[in-house]
Amino acid sequence: GSPVVVFDASGGEPVPGTVSFPLPRSGGPAAIFRILPVAQRFMVQHAARRVHDVGTPRRSQKITGIV
């Protein structure tokens, strides 16, 4: 199966049996804002390794108005 991934801003030791991304210690909303960009990069890079042309627009025009 897939490994368990932990984005850790606790400042503690890594959880045994997981892949941990240690981040600077923080809590509450500060931890969320610190973890979010790291988690987003992780997910996009993970997808890019598995899906051809990840991030390539599938449509040629953006709908910006109401008809």
Side-chain angles (χ1 to χ4, degrees):
S2 298
V4 174
V5 177
V6 176
F7 297 94
D8 184 11
S10 71
E13 292 295 317
V15 177
T18 66
V19 176
S20 294
F21 289 88
L23 299 163
R25 184 181 172 99
S26 55
I32 295 167
F33 290 118
R34 198 170 290 267
I35 291 171
L36 186 59
V38 176
Q40 286 176 325
R41 279 193 306 274
F42 172 82
M43 288 182 277
V44 169
Q45 290 172 359
H46 179 74
R49 281 187 236 143
R50 286 162 174 71
V51 178
H52 181 68
D53 290 337
V54 73
T56 301
R58 299 289 180 213
R59 295 170 182 82
S60 61
Q61 296 179 341
K62 181 178 178 183
I63 300 171
T64 57
I66 299 175
V67 179

